[in-house]
């Protein structure tokens, strides 16, 4: 199309030069010259259009994006292809460790081979008195325990070095993610919330990009935190229909072990810092209602009391006793 336009412009230009091809008057010649100019301009626009849509003159695909002129007299500037970069947190958590760790944390819905089933006492020895059978040896639907389940207040022990990077923890991590995502608004979950009293938690800080923002932290601890506190409305999977503002440090520095057993340190801020602190409290036997201001706690107290009444009415304590 561009070549035809250029050819048409050349032919009309020839007609305009003194009637070389056709006898025409001055007015008609001026009209032909104007038409030639328009045809040349159309060809130029076509060429520019090929840049705008990332095409070369030959029609081949191009990786260059059109940026536009830098000033009134400058040519269009081109920039290299956009670099597809991971979020800063993901680069820190996974970049130095390699794709093996990154891939290990992707797709929690992926099924993993089950390990041999063990005696109930073996699971209790690793996960505490309320640990579900098979919690770290087979993929399963773990239930999030509601307040006031006793596992929410029990001590959570550190995971021993021999289990770091093991298939057991990878299975348990995926089970935690499955339980977390079962609730539409789930963004984080700690092990005691499924009855397992060990120091392990998971969260997803970007719900629009779950596979690249899922994080597993084993034996985490806070090493430094901001003096500036920030309020934010929180809720918890163990407290349905309860919510309220909680003041927390704006940023924190943490140390933990990742899913492959590799230690790391990281500074967190924004929503990720809040997710970490909420789940970290669970590992210390603290629940978010402990940090609600007096007026807020009073407002939410009827919903909290309802959870306690439901617990007692369903005889959940007796059921747990029978299961043990």
């Amino acid at each position: 199309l561009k070549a035809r336009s250029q050819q048409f412009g050349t032919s009309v230009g020839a007609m305009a030069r003194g009637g070389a091809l056709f006898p025409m008057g001055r007015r008609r010649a001026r009209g032909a010259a104007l038409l030639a100019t328009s045809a040349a301009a159309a060809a130029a626009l076509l060429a520019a259009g090929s840049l705008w849509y990332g095409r070369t003159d030959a029609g081949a695909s191009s990786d260059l994006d059109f940026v536009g002129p830098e000033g009134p007299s400058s040519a269009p500037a081109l920039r290299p292809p956009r670099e597809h970069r991971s979020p800063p947190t993901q680069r820190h958590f996974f970049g130095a460790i390699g794709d093996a760790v990154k891939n290990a944390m992707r797709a929690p819905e992926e099924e993993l081979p089950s390990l041999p089933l063990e005696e109930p006492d073996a699971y209790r020895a690793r996960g505490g008195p309320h640990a579900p059978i098979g919690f770290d040896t087979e993929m399963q639907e773990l239930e999030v325990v509601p307040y006031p389940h006793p596992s929410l207040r029990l001590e959570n022990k550190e995971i021993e070095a021999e289990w770091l990077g093991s298939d057991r923890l990878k299975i348990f991590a995926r089970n935690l993610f499955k339980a977390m995502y079962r609730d539409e608004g789930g963004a984080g979950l700690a092990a005691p919330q499924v009855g397992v009293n060990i120091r392990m938690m998971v969260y997803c800080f970007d719900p629009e990009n779950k596979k690249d923002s899922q994080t597993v932290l084993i034996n985490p601890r806070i090493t430094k935190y901001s003096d500036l506190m920030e309020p934010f409305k929180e809720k918890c999977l163990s407290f349905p229909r309860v919510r309220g503002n909680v003041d927390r440090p704006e940023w924190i520095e943490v140390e933990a072990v990742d899913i492959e057993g590799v230690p790391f340190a990281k500074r967190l801020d924004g929503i990720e810092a809040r997710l970490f602190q909420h789940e970290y409290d669970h590992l210390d036997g603290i629940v978010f209602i402990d940090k609600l201001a007096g007026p807020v706690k009073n407002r939410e107290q009827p919903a909290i009391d309802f959870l306690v009444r439901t617990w007692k009415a369903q005889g959940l304590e007796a059921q747990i006793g029978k299961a043990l």
Side-chain angles (χ1 to χ4, degrees), residues 297-318:
K297 181 93 174 274
N298 292 337
R299 184 195 68 204
E300 299 297 319
Q301 194 62 49
I304 298 170
D305 292 340
F306 177 80
L307 290 174
V308 176
R309 289 196 308 270
T310 302
W311 171 269
K312 292 180 178 179
Q314 294 177 351
L316 294 177
E317 289 177 306

Side-chain angles (χ1 to χ4, degrees), residues 139-155:
M139 299 291 290
Q140 60 177 287
E141 297 286 338
L142 297 176
E143 294 295 329
V144 176
V145 301
Y147 180 82
H149 192 287
S151 69
L152 296 175
R153 296 295 193 182
L154 291 180
E155 181 181 358

Side-chain angles (χ1 to χ4, degrees), residues 60-61 112 117 130 140 148 157 184 233 237 249 262 272 296 298:
S61 151
L112 292 177
L117 193 64
H130 307 295
Q140 60 177 287
K157 60 183 180 181
E184 187 174 347
K233 182 175 287 187
L237 295 179
V262 180
E272 188 176 11
V296 178
N298 292 337

Side-chain angles (χ1 to χ4, degrees), residues 229-230 234 246-250 274 277-278 281 291:
M229 306 292 284
E230 183 178 40
E234 295 185 10
V246 177
D247 290 334
R248 297 191 187 274
E250 278 192 334
R274 182 160 294 270
Q277 292 175 80
H278 180 106
D281 277 350
K291 298 191 172 184

Side-chain angles (χ1 to χ4, degrees), residues 5-202:
S5 300
Q6 290 172 335
Q7 182 180 2
F8 180 70
T10 304
S11 301
V12 176
M15 288 190 291
R17 288 192 292 272
L21 297 181
F22 299 97
M24 58 180 68
R26 289 180 178 272
R27 181 178 299 177
R28 188 172 297 178
R30 283 196 300 271
L34 180 60
L35 184 60
T37 303
S38 301
L45 284 174
L46 286 170
S50 67
L51 283 177
W52 180 269
Y53 288 103
R55 307 288 295 180
T56 61
D57 287 344
S61 151
S62 169
D63 287 327
L64 298 178
D65 294 330
F66 180 76
V67 178
E70 297 291 335
S73 61
S74 64
L78 296 178
R79 66 183 176 207
R82 294 184 184 90
E83 180 185 358
H84 297 287
R85 304 182 68 190
S86 304
T89 301
Q90 185 201 346
R91 291 200 301 274
H92 181 90
F93 272 73
F94 297 125
I97 301 169
D99 289 339
V101 180
K102 185 174 178 181
N103 293 335
M105 284 317 308
R106 288 191 169 186
E109 69 279 2
E110 177 186 351
E111 295 293 324
L112 292 177
S114 296
L115 300 176
L117 193 64
E118 302 175 10
E119 293 296 325
D121 286 345
Y123 296 104
R124 295 169 193 154
R126 289 195 300 273
H130 307 295
I133 294 175
F135 77 89
D136 61 353
T137 55
E138 62 180 2
M139 299 291 290
Q140 60 177 287
E141 297 286 338
L142 297 176
E143 294 295 329
V144 176
V145 301
Y147 180 82
H149 192 287
S151 69
L152 296 175
R153 296 295 193 182
L154 291 180
E155 181 181 358
N156 296 285
K157 60 183 180 181
E158 288 207 349
I159 297 171
E160 298 175 2
E162 63 179 298
W163 300 116
L164 298 178
S166 67
D167 289 341
R168 293 183 185 279
L169 291 186
K170 293 175 183 178
I171 290 174
F172 183 46
R174 280 164 173 76
N175 285 338
L176 283 174
F177 276 119
K178 287 176 69 175
M180 183 185 85
Y181 288 136
R182 194 163 56 241
D183 184 287
E184 187 174 347
L189 195 65
Q193 290 182 272
V194 294
V196 180
N197 289 114
I198 60 176
R199 299 188 69 82
M200 179 171 171
M201 64 186 191
V202 303

